[in-house]
Amino acid sequence: MTSDQETRVLAMLSAFEAGKKISELDTASGSVSDMRIEVLDTDGESKVMNLSEAVTTAANAVCGRYWNESNSTYRAAGYHGSLDMLRKLPELLGLGCYLVQDDRTRRKLDPTNHYRFEDGTPAKLDGTMGQYMWCWNIGFYFAEWKVGNLKYYAVSLSPIKGKQCVYIPAGGLSALGGGVLDRTNNILCSVVSDAAQYRGGNNDASRDGTYRTQLGMVATNMQYRNFSTYARKRGEGWDANWYVAQAVVEILFMIIFGTRNMQEAVIAEKDSNGLYQGGLGAGTTNMPNWDQWGYYPVVPTSAGIELGDGCGETTFNVLKEDGSLHYAAKVPVFFGLKHPFGHIWKIVRGLIDNVGDEKSEVYVAPSLYAGYDDNSISGLIKVCEVPRTGGYIKQKSYYLLCAMPTEIGATASTYFCDYFWENSASSKGLRVRLSGAGANYGTDAGAFATYTYNAASYSDANVSAPLCFFDADPVMSA
């Protein structure tokens, strides 16, 4: 050693010998808000943290993901908050499928077999034992914020300190990726049945028994607003894909999987941190010659049930008239939720895009329980403005859970990876959001995809809306 090194070693030895045990330290007398502690950060480095913040974080666990917006990758740059909570978030929220009564009481289905309950007793998905719903079984808080170039999305079971949070009550969404209509009683359902009473599409009985049958399919070709009307007949708390329910799917996917590209290839294994990775595959988005089916549903509500509460994809073979294979449709599943994107467009209720001469301004309803008039923006809350040209989505706003694009300029493999369609140059007025995209939209599709061409009075063969419910009113305030 050099003399300088010897001096430094002796100084370290002296400091070590002079050190005290915790029991020998003097009692602190300063303010907790001014105290700091050493912590081991996620990068493995020792760093300092405010003691008060550390205690609050430990008592009110938060988890989320963040993206570095200085680059265009759709993958998260890292996780935020509790890694353990993030690993256990699906279980903590009770994600999976349930049978739900009109009073919104529910029973959990076996996570590996939806034809029985958790206790092993048989379960029927035909409506006789309740509606077949994908649920988050407890309420939670959501916040988004930005620090420098880092964009954060986080959830917690209690308000996140220092962040503007929105509370999402416990609730659920049809597990089927669209709405089934009880044709006898004109009430929106979430059932798996081949009975004529629940015939899908436009209720065309002439297709029964053919390769283009609509038996066992979701309903389409109704005025957008009618899905809501028929859902609300179930009672308080019910609607058809209320914008909050749509946002839950997008938010939880981003946070749990750490990607904005839902069409990323399925990776069955978890990453080195025990977190989900990859995506849900291409989904039912590459259907050739869909016009031969009149752009009506081609995948029955029974497809995908075999995955239970799992995540991944399965295959349903769409056959030609002669019985040969036309298209091997991939059915993406997110903890039991079938078709979170693709196959059929989904109407988003409670949200209006007011397309004017100079701006396209988005508004949301402050209350589900109070009713909703899609002919007016009176009493609604402005949440953002959307671009006046279409393109791949670069930025989205989740302010008050609107989940609407605010900037375009991405591609099918950058940022949000999904497309935004709008027609403000040729059409003005109040417009409804459609999400997810249909069976022939390819890489444009995804849960983040947004289409704003039409009013609530419009109808189309490839558009449906899944039943949804909330235990409490998902109230929003500016």
Side-chain angles (χ1 to χ4, degrees):
M1 287 188 187
T2 65
S3 59
D4 178 63
Q5 289 173 328
E6 289 179 354
T7 300
R8 290 163 62 192
V9 169
L10 289 172
M12 286 188 287
L13 179 61
S14 176
F16 176 78
E17 291 175 338
K20 295 181 179 180
K21 298 178 181 178
I22 291 179
S23 59
E24 297 172 340
L25 294 174
D26 294 333
T27 301
S29 59
S31 171
V32 173
S33 62
D34 296 327
M35 296 177 184
R36 299 187 299 171
I37 59 172
E38 182 184 13
V39 296
L40 184 67
D41 205 353
T42 56
D43 59 6
E45 297 293 328
S46 291
K47 296 181 181 178
V48 69
M49 186 175 188
N50 178 272
L51 176 58
S52 178
E53 182 181 353
V55 172
T56 300
T57 301
N60 302 288
V62 176
C63 71
R65 304 269 192 164
Y66 63 89
W67 276 256
N68 186 344
E69 297 192 337
S70 63
N71 59 54
S72 62
T73 181
Y74 51 75
R75 293 193 180 96
Y79 69 88
H80 170 75
S82 169
L83 176 59
D84 188 56
M85 181 182 179
L86 185 55
R87 290 191 194 103
K88 297 177 180 177
L89 188 59
E91 178 185 355
L92 180 65
L93 296 181
L95 294 187
C97 290
Y98 299 69
L99 289 185
V100 184
Q101 303 297 321
D102 284 357
D103 64 2
R104 293 164 289 164
T105 57
R106 49 196 175 271
R107 289 183 67 186
K108 181 72 183 70
L109 295 169
D110 186 307
T112 63
N113 184 346
H114 287 174
Y115 291 102
R116 65 189 182 201
F117 291 105
E118 270 190 321
D119 62 7
T121 58
K124 295 182 179 181
L125 309 182
D126 61 0
T128 57
M129 302 178 77
Q131 304 304 304
Y132 180 39
M133 306 293 286
W134 173 81
C135 301
W136 55 100
N137 205 36
I138 61 173
F140 62 95
Y141 290 84
F142 166 75
E144 64 169 338
W145 68 91
K146 193 171 181 179
V147 179
N149 289 326
L150 302 182
K151 184 63 175 288
Y152 291 78
Y153 303 94
V155 295
S156 176
L157 300 187
S158 56
I160 302 173
K161 185 179 179 181
K163 309 301 179 187
Q164 183 178 11
C165 296
V166 60
Y167 180 67
I168 302 171
L173 192 63
S174 170
L176 306 174
V180 176
L181 184 64
D182 177 344
R183 305 284 180 176
T184 302
N185 301 295
N186 278 339
I187 186 168
L188 198 66
C189 303
S190 182
V191 303
V192 179
S193 173
D194 289 334
Q197 180 180 356
Y198 301 106
R199 186 184 292 112
N202 65 342
N203 197 27
D204 185 354
S206 69
R207 292 185 172 211
D208 294 359
T210 74
Y211 74 106
R212 301 196 305 162
T213 182
Q214 291 301 292
L215 293 175
M217 304 288 185
V218 297
T220 65
N221 212 42
M222 293 194 299
Q223 282 193 8
Y224 292 176
R225 61 168 57 101
N226 285 355
F227 283 92
S228 176
T229 299
Y230 297 147
R232 286 177 178 254
K233 291 174 71 173
R234 292 202 169 275
E236 188 174 68
W238 292 91
D239 208 290
N241 205 28
W242 193 250
Y243 68 94
V244 176
Q246 174 64 34
V248 166
V249 176
E250 298 182 25
I251 289 165
L252 292 184
F253 176 78
M254 284 193 294
I255 290 175
I256 294 172
F257 273 75
T259 178
R260 291 166 166 171
N261 184 8
M262 199 173 274
Q263 288 187 292
E264 191 175 355
V266 173
I267 301 177
E269 301 79 15
K270 295 181 180 178
D271 68 13
S272 58
N273 285 320
L275 301 176
Y276 286 88
Q277 59 181 334
L280 302 178
T284 306
T285 63
N286 294 304
M287 172 84 172
N289 303 119
W290 196 14
D291 58 312
Q292 294 180 20
W293 281 258
Y295 299 100
Y296 285 102
V298 294
V299 180
T301 54
S302 57
I305 295 175
E306 63 270 25
L307 293 188
D309 288 349
C311 293
E313 61 184 351
T314 185
T315 302
F316 175 80
N317 290 327
V318 179
L319 305 180
K320 300 177 184 178
E321 187 173 10
D322 63 4
S324 63
L325 177 65
H326 175 74
Y327 172 49
K330 295 297 183 181
V331 180
V333 180
F334 179 58
F335 296 103
L337 174 64
K338 273 68 75 177
H339 302 291
F341 68 93
H343 186 218
I344 293 294
W345 284 100
K346 299 173 186 63
I347 303 157
V348 179
R349 291 290 293 172
L351 178 148
I352 286 290
D353 179 13
N354 182 22
V355 181
D357 292 330
E358 298 180 356
K359 297 179 179 180
S360 295
E361 301 173 307
V362 178
Y363 294 80
V364 296
S367 166
L368 167 68
Y369 287 16
Y372 171 62
D373 180 4
D374 55 39
N375 286 311
S376 171
I377 60 172
S378 177
L380 305 186
I381 303 170
K382 181 179 175 180
V383 287
C384 70
E385 295 180 11
V386 295
R388 302 278 284 185
T389 56
Y392 279 98
I393 300 168
K394 186 175 182 179
Q395 298 291 341
K396 291 193 85 175
S397 170
Y398 285 89
Y399 175 57
L400 300 188
L401 304 178
C402 66
M404 288 293 281
T406 55
E407 184 180 354
I408 59 169
T411 68
S413 58
T414 60
Y415 295 100
F416 281 89
C417 304
D418 296 344
Y419 207 84
F420 171 55
W421 291 264
E422 68 88 47
N423 60 346
S424 59
S426 59
S427 178
K428 306 294 189 292
L430 303 183
R431 299 291 177 255
V432 172
R433 178 195 175 191
L434 303 183
S435 70
N440 63 349
Y441 278 78
T443 57
D444 290 356
F448 307 110
T450 300
Y451 185 97
T452 58
Y453 269 52
N454 304 120
S457 57
Y458 197 73
S459 62
D460 204 299
N462 62 6
V463 177
S464 187
L467 185 68
C468 73
F469 78 94
F470 294 89
D471 273 354
D473 194 356
V475 176
M476 301 293 148
S477 60

